[in-house]
Amino acid sequence: MALNLIKLCVGCESVEQLEDWIALRVREKRARGEPAEHFHTTRMVPKRVEELTEGGSLYWVIKGSIQCRQRLVDIRPFRDAEGVSRCHLVLEPRLVRTQFQPRRAFQGWRYLDAKDAPGDIGSAGDDAAMPQELRRELSELGLL
């Protein structure tokens, strides 16, 4: 069973805004001739790298709820210009929407066991086509 990470998506108001930001960053990298990979930089380096990169994802908390995830491709530790240890969480640029799962604010990232992760929203026949705000309200009422 894969191990995941969970992280707050600070400054992001919606999944669509995060998708647009990722697309912009990938376009900028292509324009500079850099590899068109997407990563998130974090200070703490996960210790359970093998478990995370064997099918794990980074689950994003947006406006108080897990709303989407990105598959973890690689974890690359490095030292920045000031000599501080950091790492790049290399992520698949495609977001997968998930069921809403309320989460309180926290700092950094946390491990998230697969059994505790919200399910993906399919593309047909379920609440995927429902407007985001309606999904959020119904989830908060315990109806989704």
Side-chain angles (χ1 to χ4, degrees):
M1 193 172 346
L3 182 64
N4 305 292
L5 295 176
I6 182 171
K7 180 146 182 33
L8 299 182
C9 194
V10 178
C12 188
E13 296 291 318
S14 68
V15 175
E16 293 81 12
Q17 187 179 21
L18 180 57
E19 287 173 327
D20 291 345
W21 184 81
I22 292 167
L24 173 66
R25 298 282 300 187
V26 169
R27 277 194 312 272
E28 289 173 345
K29 287 182 177 191
R30 281 190 182 122
R32 291 190 304 258
E34 298 174 5
E37 67 182 7
H38 173 65
F39 59 82
H40 177 76
T41 304
T42 184
R43 191 174 66 85
M44 300 303 293
V45 180
K47 305 284 186 242
R48 301 168 68 182
V49 173
E50 190 172 303
E51 291 174 85
L52 290 166
T53 56
E54 289 180 353
S57 292
L58 175 62
Y59 283 78
W60 289 109
V61 176
I62 300 172
K63 295 190 80 168
S65 292
I66 296 175
Q67 295 188 32
C68 62
R69 67 178 178 86
Q70 286 180 275
R71 190 175 66 79
L72 279 162
V73 177
D74 197 8
I75 296 175
R76 298 182 191 145
F78 70 98
R79 290 204 180 271
D80 67 12
E82 289 81 36
V84 177
S85 291
R86 300 194 183 279
C87 84
H88 288 151
L89 302 175
V90 183
L91 304 162
E92 186 175 278
R94 185 179 72 87
L95 293 176
V96 177
R97 291 173 188 261
T98 65
Q99 296 169 346
F100 278 66
Q101 188 180 81
R103 288 293 171 134
R104 294 183 191 265
F106 58 92
Q107 291 186 339
W109 52 262
R110 302 283 186 267
Y111 290 112
L112 178 66
D113 288 324
K115 66 179 177 50
D116 298 323
D120 294 348
I121 294 176
S123 58
D126 60 17
D127 57 353
M130 196 179 302
Q132 181 176 351
E133 284 304 313
L134 180 58
R135 279 186 34 234
R136 181 190 327 275
E137 288 180 34
L138 291 173
S139 177
E140 288 171 358
L141 293 170
L143 299 173
L144 278 183

PDB file of all heavy atoms in Angstrom, residues 30-48:
ATOM      1  N   ARG A  30       9.665  25.224 -20.195  1.00  0.00           N
ATOM      2  CA  ARG A  30       9.864  24.851 -21.604  1.00  0.00           C
ATOM      3  C   ARG A  30      10.480  26.019 -22.383  1.00  0.00           C
ATOM      4  O   ARG A  30      11.368  25.813 -23.197  1.00  0.00           O
ATOM      5  CB  ARG A  30       8.539  24.450 -22.245  1.00  0.00           C
ATOM      6  CG  ARG A  30       8.116  23.062 -21.905  1.00  0.00           C
ATOM      7  CD  ARG A  30       6.924  22.611 -22.746  1.00  0.00           C
ATOM      8  NE  ARG A  30       6.527  21.288 -22.348  1.00  0.00           N
ATOM      9  CZ  ARG A  30       5.326  20.959 -21.907  1.00  0.00           C
ATOM     10  NH1 ARG A  30       4.373  21.867 -21.844  1.00  0.00           N
ATOM     11  NH2 ARG A  30       5.061  19.723 -21.559  1.00  0.00           N
ATOM     12  N   ALA A  31       9.989  27.226 -22.126  1.00  0.00           N
ATOM     13  CA  ALA A  31      10.485  28.411 -22.827  1.00  0.00           C
ATOM     14  C   ALA A  31      11.961  28.660 -22.521  1.00  0.00           C
ATOM     15  O   ALA A  31      12.694  29.178 -23.358  1.00  0.00           O
ATOM     16  CB  ALA A  31       9.653  29.640 -22.452  1.00  0.00           C
ATOM     17  N   ARG A  32      12.403  28.285 -21.333  1.00  0.00           N
ATOM     18  CA  ARG A  32      13.811  28.455 -20.957  1.00  0.00           C
ATOM     19  C   ARG A  32      14.665  27.262 -21.374  1.00  0.00           C
ATOM     20  O   ARG A  32      15.871  27.236 -21.108  1.00  0.00           O
ATOM     21  CB  ARG A  32      13.926  28.650 -19.439  1.00  0.00           C
ATOM     22  CG  ARG A  32      13.380  29.964 -18.932  1.00  0.00           C
ATOM     23  CD  ARG A  32      13.736  30.203 -17.469  1.00  0.00           C
ATOM     24  NE  ARG A  32      13.306  29.149 -16.588  1.00  0.00           N
ATOM     25  CZ  ARG A  32      12.232  29.181 -15.796  1.00  0.00           C
ATOM     26  NH1 ARG A  32      11.458  30.249 -15.806  1.00  0.00           N
ATOM     27  NH2 ARG A  32      11.935  28.170 -15.009  1.00  0.00           N
ATOM     28  N   GLY A  33      14.041  26.253 -21.972  1.00  0.00           N
ATOM     29  CA  GLY A  33      14.778  25.068 -22.397  1.00  0.00           C
ATOM     30  C   GLY A  33      15.079  24.098 -21.267  1.00  0.00           C
ATOM     31  O   GLY A  33      15.923  23.216 -21.409  1.00  0.00           O
ATOM     32  N   GLU A  34      14.390  24.240 -20.158  1.00  0.00           N
ATOM     33  CA  GLU A  34      14.569  23.348 -19.010  1.00  0.00           C
ATOM     34  C   GLU A  34      13.609  22.168 -19.128  1.00  0.00           C
ATOM     35  O   GLU A  34      12.614  22.251 -19.843  1.00  0.00           O
ATOM     36  CB  GLU A  34      14.279  24.102 -17.703  1.00  0.00           C
ATOM     37  CG  GLU A  34      15.205  25.265 -17.440  1.00  0.00           C
ATOM     38  CD  GLU A  34      14.790  26.068 -16.210  1.00  0.00           C
ATOM     39  OE1 GLU A  34      13.836  25.659 -15.505  1.00  0.00           O
ATOM     40  OE2 GLU A  34      15.416  27.111 -15.968  1.00  0.00           O
ATOM     41  N   PRO A  35      13.897  21.081 -18.411  1.00  0.00           N
ATOM     42  CA  PRO A  35      12.941  19.965 -18.404  1.00  0.00           C
ATOM     43  C   PRO A  35      11.580  20.451 -17.917  1.00  0.00           C
ATOM     44  O   PRO A  35      11.496  21.205 -16.948  1.00  0.00           O
ATOM     45  CB  PRO A  35      13.541  18.962 -17.419  1.00  0.00           C
ATOM     46  CG  PRO A  35      14.991  19.308 -17.344  1.00  0.00           C
ATOM     47  CD  PRO A  35      15.089  20.787 -17.599  1.00  0.00           C
ATOM     48  N   ALA A  36      10.531  20.015 -18.574  1.00  0.00           N
ATOM     49  CA  ALA A  36       9.173  20.474 -18.258  1.00  0.00           C
ATOM     50  C   ALA A  36       8.571  19.646 -17.135  1.00  0.00           C
ATOM     51  O   ALA A  36       7.464  19.140 -17.236  1.00  0.00           O
ATOM     52  CB  ALA A  36       8.303  20.419 -19.508  1.00  0.00           C
ATOM     53  N   GLU A  37       9.328  19.514 -16.047  1.00  0.00           N
ATOM     54  CA  GLU A  37       8.798  18.787 -14.901  1.00  0.00           C
ATOM     55  C   GLU A  37       8.296  19.774 -13.859  1.00  0.00           C
ATOM     56  O   GLU A  37       8.718  20.924 -13.816  1.00  0.00           O
ATOM     57  CB  GLU A  37       9.848  17.851 -14.309  1.00  0.00           C
ATOM     58  CG  GLU A  37      11.018  18.565 -13.675  1.00  0.00           C
ATOM     59  CD  GLU A  37      12.075  17.603 -13.141  1.00  0.00           C
ATOM     60  OE1 GLU A  37      11.965  16.392 -13.376  1.00  0.00           O
ATOM     61  OE2 GLU A  37      13.009  18.075 -12.488  1.00  0.00           O
ATOM     62  N   HIS A  38       7.398  19.290 -13.035  1.00  0.00           N
ATOM     63  CA  HIS A  38       6.827  20.138 -11.993  1.00  0.00           C
ATOM     64  C   HIS A  38       7.298  19.616 -10.635  1.00  0.00           C
ATOM     65  O   HIS A  38       7.282  18.418 -10.393  1.00  0.00           O
ATOM     66  CB  HIS A  38       5.297  20.092 -12.075  1.00  0.00           C
ATOM     67  CG  HIS A  38       4.623  20.798 -10.943  1.00  0.00           C
ATOM     68  ND1 HIS A  38       4.728  22.154 -10.745  1.00  0.00           N
ATOM     69  CD2 HIS A  38       3.868  20.344  -9.944  1.00  0.00           C
ATOM     70  CE1 HIS A  38       4.053  22.489  -9.670  1.00  0.00           C
ATOM     71  NE2 HIS A  38       3.517  21.410  -9.159  1.00  0.00           N
ATOM     72  N   PHE A  39       7.738  20.527  -9.772  1.00  0.00           N
ATOM     73  CA  PHE A  39       8.117  20.105  -8.427  1.00  0.00           C
ATOM     74  C   PHE A  39       7.738  21.173  -7.419  1.00  0.00           C
ATOM     75  O   PHE A  39       7.527  22.335  -7.751  1.00  0.00           O
ATOM     76  CB  PHE A  39       9.614  19.771  -8.323  1.00  0.00           C
ATOM     77  CG  PHE A  39      10.537  20.896  -8.678  1.00  0.00           C
ATOM     78  CD1 PHE A  39      10.848  21.884  -7.763  1.00  0.00           C
ATOM     79  CD2 PHE A  39      11.120  20.946  -9.937  1.00  0.00           C
ATOM     80  CE1 PHE A  39      11.716  22.918  -8.094  1.00  0.00           C
ATOM     81  CE2 PHE A  39      11.984  21.971 -10.280  1.00  0.00           C
ATOM     82  CZ  PHE A  39      12.281  22.959  -9.355  1.00  0.00           C
ATOM     83  N   HIS A  40       7.643  20.730  -6.185  1.00  0.00           N
ATOM     84  CA  HIS A  40       7.386  21.617  -5.060  1.00  0.00           C
ATOM     85  C   HIS A  40       8.601  21.537  -4.146  1.00  0.00           C
ATOM     86  O   HIS A  40       9.052  20.438  -3.816  1.00  0.00           O
ATOM     87  CB  HIS A  40       6.122  21.189  -4.311  1.00  0.00           C
ATOM     88  CG  HIS A  40       5.839  22.022  -3.113  1.00  0.00           C
ATOM     89  ND1 HIS A  40       5.305  23.293  -3.213  1.00  0.00           N
ATOM     90  CD2 HIS A  40       6.048  21.801  -1.800  1.00  0.00           C
ATOM     91  CE1 HIS A  40       5.198  23.800  -1.995  1.00  0.00           C
ATOM     92  NE2 HIS A  40       5.636  22.913  -1.127  1.00  0.00           N
ATOM     93  N   THR A  41       9.141  22.669  -3.738  1.00  0.00           N
ATOM     94  CA  THR A  41      10.316  22.689  -2.873  1.00  0.00           C
ATOM     95  C   THR A  41       9.871  22.773  -1.417  1.00  0.00           C
ATOM     96  O   THR A  41       9.004  23.571  -1.065  1.00  0.00           O
ATOM     97  CB  THR A  41      11.210  23.894  -3.217  1.00  0.00           C
ATOM     98  OG1 THR A  41      11.554  23.828  -4.598  1.00  0.00           O
ATOM     99  CG2 THR A  41      12.486  23.886  -2.384  1.00  0.00           C
ATOM    100  N   THR A  42      10.470  21.940  -0.588  1.00  0.00           N
ATOM    101  CA  THR A  42      10.162  21.920   0.828  1.00  0.00           C
ATOM    102  C   THR A  42      11.463  21.801   1.626  1.00  0.00           C
ATOM    103  O   THR A  42      12.469  21.335   1.099  1.00  0.00           O
ATOM    104  CB  THR A  42       9.188  20.768   1.171  1.00  0.00           C
ATOM    105  OG1 THR A  42       8.833  20.831   2.547  1.00  0.00           O
ATOM    106  CG2 THR A  42       9.770  19.422   0.841  1.00  0.00           C
ATOM    107  N   ARG A  43      11.442  22.262   2.858  1.00  0.00           N
ATOM    108  CA  ARG A  43      12.655  22.237   3.674  1.00  0.00           C
ATOM    109  C   ARG A  43      12.927  20.853   4.244  1.00  0.00           C
ATOM    110  O   ARG A  43      14.056  20.386   4.255  1.00  0.00           O
ATOM    111  CB  ARG A  43      12.545  23.265   4.809  1.00  0.00           C
ATOM    112  CG  ARG A  43      13.866  23.476   5.528  1.00  0.00           C
ATOM    113  CD  ARG A  43      13.792  24.588   6.541  1.00  0.00           C
ATOM    114  NE  ARG A  43      12.921  24.310   7.643  1.00  0.00           N
ATOM    115  CZ  ARG A  43      13.281  23.632   8.735  1.00  0.00           C
ATOM    116  NH1 ARG A  43      14.487  23.143   8.841  1.00  0.00           N
ATOM    117  NH2 ARG A  43      12.422  23.432   9.699  1.00  0.00           N
ATOM    118  N   MET A  44      11.909  20.194   4.726  1.00  0.00           N
ATOM    119  CA  MET A  44      12.087  18.882   5.341  1.00  0.00           C
ATOM    120  C   MET A  44      12.110  17.789   4.267  1.00  0.00           C
ATOM    121  O   MET A  44      11.304  17.804   3.342  1.00  0.00           O
ATOM    122  CB  MET A  44      10.965  18.601   6.338  1.00  0.00           C
ATOM    123  CG  MET A  44      10.886  19.620   7.467  1.00  0.00           C
ATOM    124  SD  MET A  44      12.408  19.790   8.419  1.00  0.00           S
ATOM    125  CE  MET A  44      12.475  18.207   9.199  1.00  0.00           C
ATOM    126  N   VAL A  45      13.043  16.869   4.402  1.00  0.00           N
ATOM    127  CA  VAL A  45      13.183  15.766   3.452  1.00  0.00           C
ATOM    128  C   VAL A  45      12.507  14.531   4.043  1.00  0.00           C
ATOM    129  O   VAL A  45      12.868  14.100   5.142  1.00  0.00           O
ATOM    130  CB  VAL A  45      14.672  15.463   3.164  1.00  0.00           C
ATOM    131  CG1 VAL A  45      14.813  14.312   2.187  1.00  0.00           C
ATOM    132  CG2 VAL A  45      15.384  16.711   2.657  1.00  0.00           C
ATOM    133  N   PRO A  46      11.528  13.958   3.344  1.00  0.00           N
ATOM    134  CA  PRO A  46      10.890  12.742   3.858  1.00  0.00           C
ATOM    135  C   PRO A  46      11.897  11.603   4.013  1.00  0.00           C
ATOM    136  O   PRO A  46      12.801  11.449   3.192  1.00  0.00           O
ATOM    137  CB  PRO A  46       9.853  12.391   2.780  1.00  0.00           C
ATOM    138  CG  PRO A  46       9.658  13.638   2.001  1.00  0.00           C
ATOM    139  CD  PRO A  46      10.945  14.386   2.076  1.00  0.00           C
ATOM    140  N   LYS A  47      11.745  10.821   5.057  1.00  0.00           N
ATOM    141  CA  LYS A  47      12.629   9.679   5.301  1.00  0.00           C
ATOM    142  C   LYS A  47      12.140   8.418   4.593  1.00  0.00           C
ATOM    143  O   LYS A  47      12.918   7.530   4.308  1.00  0.00           O
ATOM    144  CB  LYS A  47      12.709   9.381   6.813  1.00  0.00           C
ATOM    145  CG  LYS A  47      13.135  10.565   7.644  1.00  0.00           C
ATOM    146  CD  LYS A  47      14.619  10.826   7.521  1.00  0.00           C
ATOM    147  CE  LYS A  47      15.036  11.928   8.474  1.00  0.00           C
ATOM    148  NZ  LYS A  47      15.571  13.085   7.818  1.00  0.00           N
ATOM    149  N   ARG A  48      10.858   8.350   4.301  1.00  0.00           N
ATOM    150  CA  ARG A  48      10.244   7.145   3.740  1.00  0.00           C
ATOM    151  C   ARG A  48      10.084   7.274   2.216  1.00  0.00           C
ATOM    152  O   ARG A  48       9.026   7.014   1.662  1.00  0.00           O
ATOM    153  CB  ARG A  48       8.921   6.897   4.431  1.00  0.00           C
ATOM    154  CG  ARG A  48       9.112   6.722   5.945  1.00  0.00           C
ATOM    155  CD  ARG A  48       7.835   6.764   6.722  1.00  0.00           C
ATOM    156  NE  ARG A  48       7.001   5.596   6.445  1.00  0.00           N
ATOM    157  CZ  ARG A  48       5.801   5.428   6.996  1.00  0.00           C
ATOM    158  NH1 ARG A  48       5.314   6.317   7.845  1.00  0.00           N
ATOM    159  NH2 ARG A  48       5.100   4.354   6.707  1.00  0.00           N
TER     160      ARG A  48
END
